Amino acid sequence: MDRPSAVERSLREAAPHEIFDVIRSVIEQRYHARAVDLLLVDYAMTRLQPVEVLPHTRPPVPVHDSPPGRAFGAQEPHCVYDRSVSTVTVYLPVSVRGDRLGILSVTVPVGEGDELAAAVLGDLQECADALAHEVVVAERDTDLFLQARRAERLTLAAEMQWQLLPGRSCTRPEYSLGAQLEPAYAIFGDSFDWSASADDLFVTVSNGMGEGINAALLTNLAINALRNARRAGLSLSDQACLADQAVYGQHRGSQYLSTLLLRFRLPTGDVEIIDAGSPRVWRVRRGVVEPIELEAQMPLGMFEDTAYVAQHFRVEPGDRLLFVSDGVYDALSPGGERYSLRALAASINSTRLLPAPQVPRVMLQELLGHRGSGPAVDDSLVMCLDWHGRSARRDR
């Protein structure tokens, strides 16, 4: 029997648009599989879309209340037996370092009354893991997988914003985080970014002014200026200053960007933070929900040569931090009622038992219930970070 390393070699040698065909062929030959499908989650995180060449002909599967959705949410394989035809369909998470891409669905024959062997399940999951890594790489060279994530057409501004993001979730022993934007197919200027090294995690949450292409261009300029400064090894304050100069130099104060910049020290939990605008931070510690009060500084690009000073606090193992843009707490109901801080705190409390990658989607769904089904006047961003701490590191 081929080992997973042989599967990985086959995937690496395949053309980018053929990697799923390769994994499907391997699984069909190895286990006489009757069906193998790859379902990728859409931008709104509500549907699992089959990977196929346009135009899409097969219907999507809902993330909620479906067997593949159960595997996607739990990030564990889920088996559904059909004794009438002696088969089992296995739904396997397709994820990379905590970034949830979708589900690999495999239907294989089983003997009457038999259960799927643990070794087979483990091998299938290794195939799904290998496929996940190759999908991320292949997206640089083919549109096949990006097209599968679209339940509807993106606006051009949303296209620009989604291509700017690092992912939608990430997990390391020290932390787990997830973020989501709404409306997913028509984003204005909200964005987020993160990057980790051996001892640091940098996180940025941005709320750009304006709408459409102008908002997307503004956000792209600021995020890339921050990345340029971060990759040059500059301090958090200098990162903010460089991005501030870049935005001001382009727009002379007529457009600016509200941004939170954070640097987490992974060994200690010490945090540097610069509050350059409107996104807010909430902390859940030992069941208590409270805002973190910060000294507000000028948004990036509002004035020339603004100096930024970092503040400090510490996170403890078990802490949860939530970062929320003004599109959430300023959202209005159809009757004109503002989404209150009390409602936001209640939403944070009601999602306390969910893993961090699931929290933003659920909170934004609750916001939609308040706002109604009409068009949004602003986009909304929620990011959730669960801090485990280096002392709580576990093998994964």
Side-chain angles (χ1 to χ4, degrees):
M1 179 180 293
D2 292 338
R3 304 304 301 165
S5 58
V7 173
E8 292 168 1
R9 284 196 300 272
S10 297
L11 288 170
R12 287 196 296 268
E13 293 169 359
H17 63 281
E18 293 178 340
I19 59 173
F20 173 56
D21 295 329
V22 168
I23 205 76
R24 177 168 53 198
S25 177
V26 167
I27 293 173
E28 287 174 345
Q29 293 176 24
R30 182 178 295 180
Y31 297 112
H32 307 288
R34 299 183 183 179
V36 182
D37 282 305
L38 176 59
L39 310 172
L40 296 182
V41 70
D42 83 314
Y43 288 104
M45 300 285 285
T46 59
R47 305 176 185 180
L48 291 161
Q49 306 255 123
V51 171
E52 57 185 353
V53 177
L54 290 177
H56 295 152
T57 58
R58 290 181 292 166
V61 178
V63 168
H64 302 289
D65 299 323
S66 70
R70 178 174 172 177
F72 183 81
Q75 287 295 283
E76 295 287 345
H78 177 58
C79 297
V80 177
Y81 289 88
D82 187 344
R83 299 298 183 188
S84 65
V85 291
S86 300
T87 64
V88 57
T89 299
V90 190
Y91 300 103
L92 305 135
V94 178
S95 303
V96 180
R97 297 185 179 90
D99 191 12
R100 305 174 175 203
L101 307 180
I103 290 293
L104 181 65
S105 169
V106 181
T107 301
V108 295
V110 292
E112 185 176 351
D114 289 346
E115 301 292 318
L116 189 68
V120 174
L121 188 60
D123 191 20
L124 289 173
Q125 184 60 65
E126 288 184 348
C127 289
D129 294 341
L131 177 61
H133 282 269
E134 292 302 320
V135 166
V136 171
V137 175
E139 285 182 345
R140 299 181 307 177
D141 301 307
T142 179
D143 289 333
L144 177 66
F145 304 106
L146 292 172
Q147 289 169 337
R149 299 186 187 198
R150 299 165 188 229
E152 56 187 86
R153 184 172 178 175
L154 296 175
T155 65
L156 180 54
E159 183 86 49
M160 296 169 65
Q161 295 292 73
W162 280 113
Q163 292 302 309
L164 190 65
L165 301 180
R168 279 179 288 183
S169 54
C170 180
T171 299
R172 272 184 55 172
E174 297 90 348
Y175 61 85
S176 177
L177 60 83
Q180 178 64 18
L181 295 165
E182 278 294 329
Y185 292 88
I187 307 167
F188 300 128
D190 286 4
S191 188
F192 56 86
D193 194 24
W194 58 66
S195 178
S197 63
D199 292 323
D200 293 297
L201 168 66
F202 290 92
V203 173
T204 303
V205 181
S206 301
N207 180 197
M209 67 179 297
E211 299 180 3
I213 297 297
N214 288 335
L217 288 171
L218 173 65
T219 302
N220 270 260
L221 172 62
I223 294 298
N224 279 293
L226 289 168
R227 287 175 175 172
N228 178 257
R230 184 186 73 222
R231 291 164 183 169
L234 301 185
S235 68
L236 200 68
S237 295
D238 287 342
Q239 291 175 33
C241 289
L242 188 147
D244 173 69
Q245 293 169 14
V247 175
Y248 186 83
Q250 183 69 26
H251 298 289
R252 314 304 297 179
S254 63
Q255 293 191 66
Y256 46 85
L257 196 85
S258 298
T259 306
L260 280 171
L261 297 91
L262 301 99
R263 178 189 183 188
F264 293 81
R265 293 290 294 161
L266 300 180
T268 64
D270 292 324
V271 184
E272 289 182 78
I273 184 170
I274 294 175
D275 178 5
S278 62
R280 302 186 187 183
V281 190
W282 292 70
R283 178 175 59 206
V284 183
R285 175 175 289 174
R286 291 184 284 276
V288 178
V289 180
E290 57 186 354
I292 295 180
E293 300 297 338
L294 299 166
E295 178 184 347
Q297 302 179 64
M298 292 297 103
L300 303 181
M302 180 173 279
F303 298 107
E304 188 174 14
D305 297 328
T306 302
Y308 293 92
V309 179
Q311 297 176 256
H312 300 266
F313 66 96
R314 176 172 289 186
V315 285
E316 301 176 358
D319 281 358
R320 167 168 286 182
L321 300 180
L322 292 113
F323 310 91
V324 182
S325 72
D326 61 4
V328 175
Y329 52 80
D330 284 344
L332 300 177
S333 71
E337 179 182 357
R338 189 180 300 275
Y339 192 72
S340 67
L341 295 181
R342 178 178 296 181
L344 178 59
S347 180
I348 293 171
N349 189 59
S350 69
T351 56
R352 67 188 184 280
L353 299 181
L354 294 176
Q358 290 189 37
V359 170
R361 175 70 264 160
V362 174
M363 288 185 62
L364 288 170
Q365 282 294 110
E366 293 182 2
L367 174 69
L368 182 60
H370 168 84
R371 184 173 58 79
S373 58
V377 298
D378 194 5
D379 46 352
S380 304
L381 183 158
V382 174
M383 177 187 287
C384 179
L385 185 149
D386 284 347
W387 184 259
H388 311 307
R390 183 156 287 182
S391 62
R393 177 173 291 184
R394 300 184 297 271
D395 293 334
R396 291 181 180 234

